Each structure stands twice: as structure tokens, then as C-alpha cells.
Amino acid sequence: MILLIKYFRAQDPLEKGITRSVMNIMPGGMLLSLCLICMFTFRGSTSKVIVEALFLLLGAFNISG
């Protein structure tokens, strides 16, 4: 929420871009860490492993781009 307020109040395009990229990295890191925790903690069926791998790729994509 703080980053969202900071994003809308920023006048400088560079500051807006940095804030926006941090806002994208945070959910990606959370998704990546939760996916890894679930993969190593719980054993599941093939479909669960495939869904976890997709979430892992989505989190990695959010962090990188």
C-alpha cells in the first residue's frame, strides 16, 4: 500500500518506474517462495506438481521482467 501511494504521488518518471518495478518484484518473490515451500514440504500428485511448476515460472517471470 505504501508503494502504491508513493507511485501515484511521484512526479519523476524514473522514480515511478523504480517503484512500479519493486511493486512487480514483491509478488513474484512471494509467489516463488511459497511455491518452493509447497514443493519441498508436501508430496502430491502429478497435477499438483505441474501447477506448482507453473506458479514457479510465473513468479520467476515477475521477478525478471
Side-chain angles (χ1 to χ4, degrees):
M1 192 60 145
I2 293 171
L3 287 173
L4 187 63
I5 293 170
K6 185 178 177 182
Y7 174 75
F8 282 116
R9 289 188 178 184
Q11 298 294 327
D12 185 25
L14 181 64
E15 186 178 346
K16 275 190 148 188
I18 291 172
T19 306
R20 186 70 179 165
S21 65
V22 169
M23 286 172 29
N24 282 338
I25 289 172
M26 292 295 179
M30 184 181 67
L31 188 61
L32 196 69
S33 64
L34 288 175
C35 181
L36 287 174
I37 289 170
C38 287
M39 281 182 123
F40 290 120
T41 305
F42 305 112
R43 301 287 176 216
S45 64
T46 306
S47 61
K48 286 184 181 181
V49 172
I50 291 172
V51 169
E52 289 171 355
L54 288 174
F55 285 154
L56 183 71
L57 290 174
L58 182 65
F61 180 73
N62 258 356
I63 288 176
S64 68

